[in-house]
Amino acid sequence: MSWELRASDLPDLARGATLLGTGGGGDPYIGKMLVERVLGDGVITILDPDELTDDLFVIPTAQMGAPTVMIEKIPAGTEPTLALRTLEEHLGRRADATMPIECGGINSMIPLVVAAETGLPVVDADGMGRAFPELSMETFAVYGVHGSPLALAGERGEKVVIDTGDDDRQMEWLARGVTIRLGGVGHIAEYAMSGADVRRTAVPRTLSMALALGRAIREAREAKRSPFAAIADTLASTLYPHVRELFTGKVTDVERRTTEGFARGRARISAMDGDAGDFEIRFQNENLIAVHQGRVVAIVPDLICVVDHETAEPITTEGLRYGQRVRVLGISTPALMRTPEALAAFGPCAFGLDEPFVPVEEHRG
Amino acid sequence: MSWELRASDLPDLARGATLLGTGGGGDPYIGKMLVERVLGDGVITILDPDELTDDLFVIPTAQMGAPTVMIEKIPAGTEPTLALRTLEEHLGRRADATMPIECGGINSMIPLVVAAETGLPVVDADGMGRAFPELSMETFAVYGVHGSPLALAGERGEKVVIDTGDDDRQMEWLARGVTIRLGGVGHIAEYAMSGADVRRTAVPRTLSMALALGRAIREAREAKRSPFAAIADTLASTLYPHVRELFTGKVTDVERRTTEGFARGRARISAMDGDAGDFEIRFQNENLIAVHQGRVVAIVPDLICVVDHETAEPITTEGLRYGQRVRVLGISTPALMRTPEALAAFGPCAFGLDEPFVPVEEHRG
């Protein structure tokens, strides 16, 4: 069912979206602020994917860049709508709605900024069901909707349109090159598609799920209940039913470098009692693999979420700091993200990892 | 007066254009071959700029990239026309003619490839009056016609449109980034303008001058006359009247590296009798400055042309080899390339050179 989103929902949505961002997808504080600035006391209509007419014309919008740069370089706020308008002009057709391409503190919010500015509704779905570092890593692409043409807008009004036909990896490669030259952050509109395409290719209801997660965590804290139980309860009835606590400990080392437009690195977490052996997470913008005592315990595309060990507040890869006490959760992803064609696009081998994909619920604890 | 160009003109045109390319502008053999492949026994109409109607719509076409890569990566030949068509589609208007953006072995030829493929005429003018390494270094831009929107085509059919408004340096920066990611070479259409704009901003008749130069050099060789006297005679009645022999010697060192999409380096030339001291040229795709015994003897935007010491065959920066016996010519550029606003765009300071511009005819020999 379609519903209305208000400014008062944004803190919960940001929290839940950041959890689903699995370390990436951008900073929740910045994302929330960008929407608040334009929404005021207005409302945004969120469309349920099952209720879209077949020929509704949807243009997703997002920010691209390295999270390490995204937190330094706050957008003016008008760039995502400029990207949308540039793609509309290029295609000669106005959008009926926008949509996220991924879940995350920024990228669940950017379509809301566009909606607040333009009055367009937002579709409750996305193309990653989490966050991934590259524009080609979309269920949209896996199931036949291509990203080109893509429109990219820069903070000084630069407009770039990239068309690589069916080659979404080449689109990512060229758009990343432009984004690097824009200083590390760009705003994009891409994967224009019909309502029928959304139903066929998108991960449904990730905005409402993010909002429900963020709200459940907050309400549990307020009621002095376990936010971890609240997360598990909330996810039980979704397409992400399995939650596993992978490790609890203290961040003892973070290695992070921004190369080729991405934030890459690893974090080491040590048990507080010193007994349970070292735990390591490797990331490229998002967390990709979690290894405990030499054994893989969760791997992309399943979610590896680092959260505060008490409050369950999600921590992004660029927010990781020495000494933080954290829990690491593994969350199962929907079936449409685990097919062989989906794994070819954003499974371990797409990141150069040799380890095979094993669902998080099947790893031996 | 307008005239017709045939395949039999191409060797002379390539030679003359390469001389005017002042070390850059691409390899004449490849340029000639690209035109020959599509022209056959057809003709190309070359329009005199003075005869253009005010509202004629001109879209210049070119190749961009590092010469060191351009000689390794031969284009399919269809990319320049794809760039033109992409810009036409973006602007919603068909071109009446195309035009070079610079002189050079490749870039005097690319518009001829487009002309042979599409039947469009080519305007006898360009925007550099020589070759320069960056897309913003155009008399077009200096006198108020901006490069945006620019269309860029890649060898796998990639199409990119870049619009940076009035900021031609940002256009260059972004287009260079895309070109690097296309493997070092891209094909472009940019600086769309009217016939009135051409007359106001372009360096006129550089195609016919290149053809006349190439022909004069060949005919002098055939008649056993001095090709150097032929060059001077040909230029005497043009906007480039001063020719000065700067040095004669043997190439004794070439340092060349491809960085950030450009070929940068220096060449040292030593007198064959060992008496006249060392002579050095520094280049970024094109020759920028010539220094003899510590004194500047020619500097950008004047032309510094390295040619074979006997045949006067021009040698590009990527063609420089140890042991070549060469003469170095300094040639004066037209007045519209030496105004303060022109020097700000492509004079010494635009290349980070501290030396002031002094016209080649005013240097003490």
Side-chain angles (χ1 to χ4, degrees), chain A residues 30-48:
Chain A
I30 298 171
K32 189 166 66 69
M33 186 195 69
L34 289 171
V35 186
E36 281 170 351
R37 206 156 55 177
V38 284
L39 182 56
D41 55 2
V43 298
I44 296 168
T45 302
I46 311 292
L47 302 176
D48 189 87

Side-chain angles (χ1 to χ4, degrees), chain A residues 158-159 163 170 173 181, chain B residues 158-159 163 170 173 181:
Chain A
E158 301 95 334
K159 300 183 284 184
D163 188 343
Q170 184 73 344
W173 175 245
R181 292 213 156 198
Chain B
E158 299 94 334
K159 299 183 286 184
D163 189 344
Q170 184 73 345
W173 174 246
R181 293 213 155 196

Side-chain angles (χ1 to χ4, degrees), chain B residues 10 44 117 139 150 175 178 197 215 260 268 281 286:
Chain B
L10 294 172
I44 295 168
E117 279 180 352
T139 55
L150 165 147
V178 173
D197 285 334
R215 184 180 287 153
E260 299 169 38
R268 185 163 298 123
I281 293 171
E286 283 74 34

Side-chain angles (χ1 to χ4, degrees), chain B:
Chain B
M1 215 180 65
S2 294
W3 49 282
E4 288 190 335
L5 183 137
R6 291 184 159 68
S8 55
D9 297 319
L10 294 172
D12 289 340
L13 176 62
R15 184 179 306 111
T18 305
L19 185 78
L20 295 174
T22 188
D27 184 84
Y29 176 77
I30 298 171
K32 190 166 66 70
M33 185 195 70
L34 289 171
V35 186
E36 281 170 349
R37 209 157 54 176
V38 283
L39 182 56
D41 55 3
V43 298
I44 295 168
T45 301
I46 310 293
L47 302 176
D48 189 88
D50 277 355
E51 296 175 1
L52 305 182
T53 57
D54 278 359
D55 62 350
L56 191 90
F57 188 54
V58 182
I59 298 184
T61 45
Q63 185 179 92
M64 79 180 288
T68 38
V69 177
M70 281 150 74
I71 56 168
E72 301 284 341
K73 209 170 152 76
I74 314 298
T78 50
E79 299 94 332
T81 299
L82 179 60
L84 177 97
R85 295 301 185 211
T86 301
L87 191 56
E88 285 180 332
E89 200 172 324
H90 181 78
L91 295 170
R93 187 169 175 194
R94 300 300 291 252
D96 300 314
T98 185
M99 180 166 72
I101 63 163
E102 69 175 350
C103 304
I106 289 280
N107 270 339
S108 293
M109 296 296 182
I110 291 291
L112 304 177
V113 174
V114 172
E117 279 180 352
T118 61
L120 289 175
V122 178
V123 177
D124 188 2
D126 75 271
M128 294 184 176
R130 47 167 288 165
F132 283 123
E134 301 187 22
L135 301 182
S136 50
M137 297 172 165
E138 294 279 345
T139 55
F140 307 149
V142 169
Y143 299 108
V145 173
H146 294 290
S148 278
L150 165 147
L152 207 157
E155 64 183 343
R156 289 193 278 159
E158 299 94 334
K159 299 183 286 184
V160 177
V161 175
I162 297 174
D163 189 344
T164 57
D166 289 353
D167 191 342
D168 297 309
R169 288 176 63 92
Q170 184 73 345
M171 179 191 78
E172 154 68 29
W173 174 246
L174 298 181
R176 189 73 49 184
V178 173
T179 293
I180 291 168
R181 293 213 155 196
L182 287 172
V185 177
H187 287 80
I188 55 174
E190 52 162 5
Y191 287 101
M193 69 181 83
S194 68
D197 285 334
V198 172
R199 278 197 303 280
R200 190 171 55 80
T201 71
V203 185
R205 292 181 202 88
T206 46
L207 270 179
S208 45
M209 185 172 79
L211 178 56
L213 274 172
R215 184 180 287 153
I217 293 170
R218 175 179 52 79
E219 289 177 348
R221 286 180 201 161
E222 288 169 357
K224 313 280 184 204
R225 288 184 282 109
S226 161
F228 297 95
I231 290 172
D233 289 349
T234 306
L235 290 174
S237 60
T238 70
L239 299 172
Y240 299 70
H242 305 286
V243 185
R244 189 166 203 160
E245 192 174 308
L246 303 174
F247 200 73
T248 298
K250 196 174 77 167
V251 176
T252 50
D253 195 27
V254 183
E255 197 186 302
R256 194 191 285 114
R257 58 200 186 284
T258 306
T259 55
E260 299 169 38
F262 296 109
R264 299 175 201 264
R266 60 182 69 211
R268 185 163 298 123
I269 302 168
S270 303
M272 282 179 274
D273 57 13
D275 258 7
D278 267 9
F279 185 92
E280 188 180 86
I281 293 171
R282 297 205 291 275
F283 54 82
Q284 177 187 343
N285 291 11
E286 283 74 34
N287 300 321
L288 299 179
I289 184 168
V291 178
H292 185 204
Q293 292 180 315
R295 281 195 312 114
V296 175
V297 291
I299 193 164
V300 67
D302 279 347
L303 278 59
I304 299 165
C305 308
V306 181
V307 301
D308 181 89
H309 78 127
E310 275 184 10
T311 66
E313 192 68 17
I315 301 171
T316 59
T317 53
E318 74 276 11
L320 287 169
R321 298 285 181 272
Y322 176 86
Q324 283 167 333
R325 290 167 186 226
V326 301
R327 293 198 205 190
V328 184
L329 307 179
I331 300 176
S332 64
T333 36
L336 88 163
M337 296 176 63
R338 290 169 161 191
T339 62
E341 52 271 44
L343 293 178
F346 45 65
C349 64
F351 297 93
L353 299 173
D354 292 331
E355 296 80 355
F357 174 71
V358 176
V360 68
E361 64 273 23
E362 292 174 18
H363 282 283
R364 301 246 149 229

Side-chain angles (χ1 to χ4, degrees), chain A:
Chain A
M1 216 180 65
S2 296
W3 49 283
E4 289 189 335
L5 184 135
R6 289 182 161 68
S8 55
D9 297 319
L10 293 172
D12 288 340
L13 177 62
R15 184 180 305 110
T18 305
L19 185 78
L20 295 174
T22 187
D27 184 85
Y29 176 77
I30 298 171
K32 189 166 66 69
M33 186 195 69
L34 289 171
V35 186
E36 281 170 351
R37 206 156 55 177
V38 284
L39 182 56
D41 55 2
V43 298
I44 296 168
T45 302
I46 311 292
L47 302 176
D48 189 87
D50 278 355
E51 295 174 2
L52 305 181
T53 57
D54 278 359
D55 62 352
L56 191 91
F57 188 53
V58 183
I59 298 184
T61 45
Q63 184 180 92
M64 79 179 289
T68 38
V69 178
M70 282 151 73
I71 55 169
E72 300 284 342
K73 208 172 153 75
I74 314 296
T78 51
E79 299 94 331
T81 299
L82 179 61
L84 178 96
R85 293 301 185 212
T86 301
L87 191 57
E88 286 180 332
E89 201 172 321
H90 181 77
L91 295 170
R93 188 170 175 192
R94 300 299 291 250
D96 301 313
T98 186
M99 180 166 71
I101 62 163
E102 69 175 350
C103 303
I106 289 280
N107 270 339
S108 293
M109 297 296 182
I110 291 292
L112 304 177
V113 175
V114 172
E117 279 180 353
T118 62
L120 290 175
V122 178
V123 178
D124 187 2
D126 76 88
M128 293 183 176
R130 49 167 286 164
F132 284 122
E134 302 187 22
L135 301 182
S136 49
M137 297 173 164
E138 293 280 346
T139 55
F140 307 148
V142 169
Y143 299 109
V145 173
H146 293 291
S148 280
L150 165 146
L152 207 156
E155 65 184 341
R156 288 194 279 159
E158 301 95 334
K159 300 183 284 184
V160 177
V161 175
I162 297 174
D163 188 343
T164 57
D166 290 352
D167 191 342
D168 298 308
R169 289 176 62 91
Q170 184 73 344
M171 178 192 78
E172 153 68 29
W173 175 245
L174 298 182
R176 189 72 50 183
V178 173
T179 293
I180 291 169
R181 292 213 156 198
L182 287 173
V185 177
H187 287 80
I188 55 174
E190 51 161 7
Y191 288 100
M193 70 181 83
S194 68
D197 284 335
V198 172
R199 280 198 302 281
R200 190 170 56 79
T201 71
V203 185
R205 293 181 201 88
T206 45
L207 270 179
S208 44
M209 185 171 79
L211 179 56
L213 273 172
R215 184 180 287 152
I217 293 170
R218 174 179 52 80
E219 289 178 348
R221 287 180 200 161
E222 288 168 359
K224 313 279 183 203
R225 289 185 281 108
S226 160
F228 298 95
I231 290 172
D233 289 350
T234 306
L235 290 174
S237 60
T238 71
L239 298 173
Y240 301 68
H242 305 286
V243 186
R244 189 166 204 159
E245 193 174 306
L246 302 175
F247 200 72
T248 298
K250 195 175 78 168
V251 176
T252 50
D253 194 29
V254 183
E255 195 186 304
R256 194 191 285 114
R257 60 198 186 285
T258 305
T259 56
E260 299 168 36
F262 295 108
R264 300 174 200 264
R266 59 182 70 211
R268 185 163 298 124
I269 303 168
S270 303
M272 281 177 275
D273 56 14
D275 258 7
D278 268 9
F279 185 92
E280 188 181 86
I281 293 172
R282 297 205 291 275
F283 53 83
Q284 176 187 344
N285 292 10
E286 283 75 34
N287 299 322
L288 299 179
I289 184 169
V291 178
H292 185 202
Q293 293 179 313
R295 280 195 312 114
V296 176
V297 291
I299 191 163
V300 66
D302 278 347
L303 278 59
I304 299 165
C305 307
V306 181
V307 301
D308 181 89
H309 78 128
E310 275 184 11
T311 66
E313 193 69 17
I315 301 171
T316 60
T317 52
E318 73 276 11
L320 287 169
R321 297 285 180 273
Y322 177 85
Q324 282 167 333
R325 289 168 187 224
V326 301
R327 292 200 206 190
V328 184
L329 307 180
I331 300 176
S332 63
T333 36
L336 88 164
M337 295 176 63
R338 291 170 160 191
T339 62
E341 52 270 45
L343 294 177
F346 45 64
C349 64
F351 297 93
L353 299 173
D354 291 331
E355 296 80 356
F357 174 70
V358 176
V360 68
E361 65 272 25
E362 292 175 18
H363 282 285
R364 301 246 150 231

